[in-house]
Amino acid sequence: MGYKSILTILSDQRQLPQLDAAAALAAREDGHLSVLCLGLDHTQVGYYFPGGTPYAFQDAIDMAMEGAESLDATVRQHLARFADLRWSSEAVVAQIGGIANLVGMRARFSDLTVLGRPYGEDAPGESEAVVEAALFEGGCPVLVLPGHDLPADPPGKVLVAWNQSLEALAAVRRALPLLQAATSVEITLIDPRRGADGSEPGAPLTQMLTRHGVHADITVLARTAHTVSEELNRRAIEIAADLVVMGAYGHSRFRQAILGGATRNMLEKARVPVFMAR
């Protein structure tokens, strides 16, 4: 089992390094890369003179389509350099409120979505909505690249952030091809509790992975940092991990937007590539 249908979504010329990373991964996996060039209509209804809304809509849509087609042309020229890569590119337009349905439908039929970190000075404003659409509406795992650099091929060291949740288990299952290719896997638990059946934390997961040919060790950490994400980042750097695998949004998006959470913080502050699923 590998990643044969890989999706990446661009809305800005500054995301071309993300495209290069996705193309390299698709070539590495002998898969097909689908590129969605997204033009956004930012029209806000109700801010125009009576009767002017249709004209404003059309003008905004035309501008968004022009931007998407320009980006698509750049993508096609860019990918022409990859002689052995199978790829396709599509220019589409959506309103801000329509990103979830559009991206979700494309991600639903992909094995993996490759995106850049959605927070930061260079991240387009819609990046967060794109990541969440792939995870929630698409049900697709997302590989988030903090610096547009892919994990090593194969990833030598993988850190699995394990909290015994369904989201974390879904991420592990989706990441199995990467875990099987890794030279070592660390299952990291932070202040864990015993399982409902009384088992040692992480033991059932280790047993499952062993049956899939994955050599995994368990590391239990006491939480000394302010947030779980800080502990994960620190541990990933400490063991020189090439990749972090974790469940996404164990708490609601609204709660994480207001109070913060491991997913939100890792999307913002991750130091190494992060594989997320839910």
Side-chain angles (χ1 to χ4, degrees):
M1 179 178 67
Y3 305 105
K4 297 303 181 183
S5 296
I6 296 173
L7 172 69
T8 193
I9 300 155
L10 310 179
S11 58
D12 193 287
Q13 300 274 356
R14 293 173 297 175
Q15 294 173 298
L16 288 179
Q18 171 188 314
L19 176 64
D20 286 334
L25 180 61
R28 184 189 299 179
E29 294 287 322
D30 190 28
H32 182 278
L33 175 65
S34 297
V35 185
L36 196 64
C37 299
L38 189 60
L40 289 174
D41 170 16
H42 294 274
T43 306
Q44 297 293 325
V45 180
Y47 292 92
Y48 305 100
F49 61 85
T53 300
Y55 298 100
F57 270 139
Q58 189 59 55
D59 187 53
I61 290 173
D62 289 344
M63 290 179 61
M65 195 67 224
E66 182 180 338
E69 289 176 345
S70 174
L71 184 57
D72 177 61
T74 301
V75 165
R76 292 176 180 275
Q77 183 179 11
H78 203 74
L79 291 181
R81 300 176 303 154
F82 293 83
D84 299 327
L85 177 67
R86 297 188 295 277
W87 59 273
S88 59
S89 180
E90 179 184 8
V92 295
V93 170
Q95 290 186 311
I96 293 296
I99 289 178
N101 289 335
L102 177 64
V103 172
M105 186 58 68
R106 297 302 196 283
R108 194 172 301 170
F109 299 99
S110 301
D111 298 320
L112 180 65
T113 301
V114 179
L115 299 171
R117 187 161 54 188
Y119 305 106
E121 294 180 359
D122 295 332
E126 62 279 355
S127 296
E128 180 183 12
V130 170
V131 170
E132 292 182 356
L135 287 169
F136 283 87
E137 278 71 27
C140 181
V142 174
L143 178 62
V144 180
L145 307 175
H148 306 300
D149 293 324
L150 285 172
D153 178 27
K157 185 81 174 182
V158 179
L159 185 154
V160 175
W162 182 243
N163 62 358
Q164 307 186 71
S165 68
L166 289 174
E167 292 81 9
L169 182 58
V172 170
R173 284 176 169 155
R174 295 297 191 91
L176 264 178
L178 295 170
L179 299 179
Q180 290 169 328
T183 55
S184 64
V185 174
E186 176 179 296
I187 300 172
T188 303
L189 301 95
I190 300 172
D191 285 344
R193 299 178 181 178
R194 282 184 174 270
D197 59 354
S199 61
E200 290 292 330
L205 177 63
T206 305
Q207 183 182 64
M208 184 190 85
L209 290 176
T210 299
R211 291 169 179 167
H212 283 279
V214 178
H215 174 70
D217 297 311
I218 298 174
T219 297
V220 178
L221 302 176
R223 179 173 164 179
T224 57
H226 180 62
T227 63
V228 170
S229 59
E230 289 178 53
E231 290 286 0
L232 292 175
N233 270 321
R234 184 165 64 188
R235 184 61 180 172
I237 297 301
E238 183 180 314
I239 67 173
D242 298 306
L243 180 70
V244 172
V245 173
M246 64 180 291
Y249 291 101
H251 298 296
S252 72
R253 285 176 277 183
F254 179 76
R255 172 176 170 172
Q256 296 218 18
I258 301 300
L259 301 176
T263 305
R264 173 65 172 77
N265 292 340
M266 285 297 285
L267 285 173
E268 181 178 2
K269 301 174 182 178
R271 306 274 295 276
V272 300
V274 181
F275 183 103
M276 289 185 170
R278 65 181 311 280

